[in-house]
Amino acid sequence: MSASLPPFPKPEETAGPPELLQLGTGTEEDEPCLRADAARNRARLLEAAARLVAEHGAAGVTMEAVAAAASVGKGTVFRRFGDRTGLLMALLDHSEKKFQAALLGGPPPLGPGAPPVERLRAFGCAMLRRSIDELELQLAAEPSAERRYTAAPRRFLRGHVALLLRQAVPDGDSELLSHTLLAYLDAALVHHLTEQCGVPPARLQAGWLDLVARVTRTETQAGPATPVPTG
């Protein structure tokens, strides 16, 4: 689809119940006394980079392009992120934190307050939209086979799905079923289906709703799911 991306570091494993992961990139954002203006500038640069990914793919994310999109000097981008690899790492980290925050405290049905089956439907639809919008970044962050299921973001998402399954299907094996559901949302599979097989996103979404209905033994939701904001 575009030029290959620089290698992405493997995230650390986490333990315990699902919580908002701190996937810090080692940049100034992780310092406790980061100035408010620096935080705002960094967020503005990341939002500009996210727009470039959505419009042109990850290949369109260069230090120069982000500087132009954010109306700042190129040196500002280099000072914030070091190089393009640091920028891409920070961009995916930013996206991951926003998505996790939406799951933990955002409005329903993606966030708390809706029945578990509705939250499962919304979760998958939001994940599919996110994967399609950030496909190259998601593929670049794909961990090696031996860590694919223990990487921190994956553990968080699987724990979230398992919790909803325990609520929706108390007599089901929520641990194994959560792996099954997440496999449908795998970035590599989404890439294969959309880019190599030409499957439209609407069909993927309909398939997710059908899968949730079969796993939870509920009726398939008629029509497309209501769009759910993730950030």
Side-chain angles (χ1 to χ4, degrees):
M1 182 174 176
S2 62
S4 59
L5 296 176
F8 199 91
K10 299 174 183 177
E12 295 296 323
E13 295 184 23
T14 58
E19 59 182 7
L20 187 60
L21 300 175
Q22 298 301 317
L23 306 177
T25 61
T27 62
E28 60 183 314
E29 184 187 38
D30 301 310
E31 297 177 5
C33 297
L34 177 64
R35 298 191 310 276
D37 59 339
R40 284 192 296 269
N41 289 338
R42 188 175 189 278
R44 184 158 62 104
L45 292 172
L46 289 173
E47 293 298 336
R51 290 196 302 272
L52 289 173
V53 170
E55 294 170 4
H56 307 293
V61 180
T62 65
M63 307 299 265
E64 294 81 0
V66 171
S71 302
V72 300
K74 184 172 65 174
T76 300
V77 186
F78 277 98
R79 284 192 297 274
R80 286 283 181 270
F81 305 107
D83 55 19
R84 184 173 180 270
T85 299
L87 173 61
L88 292 173
M89 289 168 55
L91 180 58
L92 191 60
D93 181 75
H94 180 64
S95 171
E96 187 70 38
K97 287 178 179 176
K98 286 174 61 179
F99 189 69
Q100 292 175 7
L103 294 178
L104 293 174
L110 189 60
V117 174
E118 287 187 27
R119 295 194 68 192
L120 278 172
R121 292 170 180 155
F123 169 82
C125 292
M127 280 283 289
L128 286 171
R129 285 194 299 275
R130 183 181 174 218
S131 290
I132 290 170
D133 289 344
E134 304 174 351
L135 193 51
E136 295 179 41
L137 288 174
Q138 295 283 342
L139 292 175
E142 187 74 11
S144 58
E146 67 271 13
R147 288 183 54 82
R148 182 167 298 154
Y149 301 102
T150 58
R154 177 84 179 206
R155 287 167 60 90
F156 173 87
L157 296 175
R158 196 198 62 76
H160 177 73
V161 172
L163 174 63
L164 295 179
L165 284 171
R166 284 195 292 272
Q167 296 170 352
V169 194
D171 60 338
D173 189 334
S174 61
E175 299 302 308
L176 289 181
L177 289 175
S178 63
H179 283 291
T180 300
L181 290 181
L182 279 182
Y184 185 92
L185 306 172
D186 183 73
L189 177 61
V190 172
H191 174 267
H192 170 68
L193 292 175
T194 58
E195 299 297 324
Q196 299 175 332
C197 300
V199 176
R203 183 179 171 191
L204 290 181
Q205 178 174 288
W208 169 258
L209 297 177
D210 180 58
L211 179 60
V212 169
R214 293 175 187 275
V215 168
T216 60
R217 299 189 285 271
T218 56
E219 293 185 4
T220 302
Q221 187 181 50
T226 304
V228 180
T230 60

